Amino acid sequence: QVQLVESGGGLVQAGGSLRLSCVASGRTFSSYAMGWFRQAPGKEREFVAAINWSGVSTYYADSVKGRFTISRDNAKNTVYLQMNSLKPDDTAVYYCAAVRGRGVAVFQEENEYDYWGQGTQVTVSS
């Protein structure tokens, strides 16, 4: 069982930056690939970024490529999402998710993930 807790959300002006963190419980964090998803009001949850267990593989949605960076620190049981050049369209609740796996694969489908955090709100004002 893995419990995930996100933090770092808030209100920021367009063009600004935020760094989200997701801390996982347990001693097997390095056995999990991680992902970030988001859900805007009235829309379905969508994939944002993913990283494999070691951090060597990452993948991004086209909408955030070049602006967002996913990373992880296995010693701290934490995955990060650095968000730069934020736009009002980035406003959403951001969720981190975990799926067991120690290969190089990353995962972008919701149904591939086993564990989810409660989400953190990001609001970008114009």
Side-chain angles (χ1 to χ4, degrees), residues 1-114:
Q1 188 77 8
V2 175
Q3 291 185 326
L4 304 173
V5 179
E6 303 96 334
S7 63
L11 174 63
V12 64
Q13 288 188 332
S17 298
L18 283 175
R19 188 176 81 157
L20 305 184
S21 299
C22 172
V23 179
S25 64
R27 295 177 291 178
T28 59
F29 179 68
S30 62
S31 297
Y32 290 84
M34 302 295 294
W36 285 97
F37 291 76
R38 67 186 181 186
Q39 186 168 22
K43 295 186 178 180
E44 294 186 351
R45 190 156 54 185
E46 64 175 3
F47 169 78
V48 175
I51 189 167
N52 81 315
W53 74 273
S54 67
V56 67
S57 300
T58 58
Y59 188 73
Y60 298 91
D62 287 344
S63 59
V64 306
K65 201 172 296 182
R67 300 187 298 123
F68 291 11
T69 303
I70 188 171
S71 62
R72 64 188 297 159
D73 184 338
N74 286 344
K76 295 182 178 180
N77 282 17
T78 303
V79 62
Y80 303 98
L81 185 68
Q82 177 67 43
M83 306 185 295
N84 298 328
S85 301
L86 282 161
K87 306 174 182 180
D89 283 350
D90 295 318
T91 295
V93 177
Y94 283 71
Y95 300 88
C96 70
V99 56
R100 196 171 185 86
R102 298 207 70 184
V104 297
V106 293
F107 305 91
Q108 58 177 309
E109 299 296 332
E110 282 190 58
N111 60 12
E112 294 177 301
Y113 287 86
D114 300 315

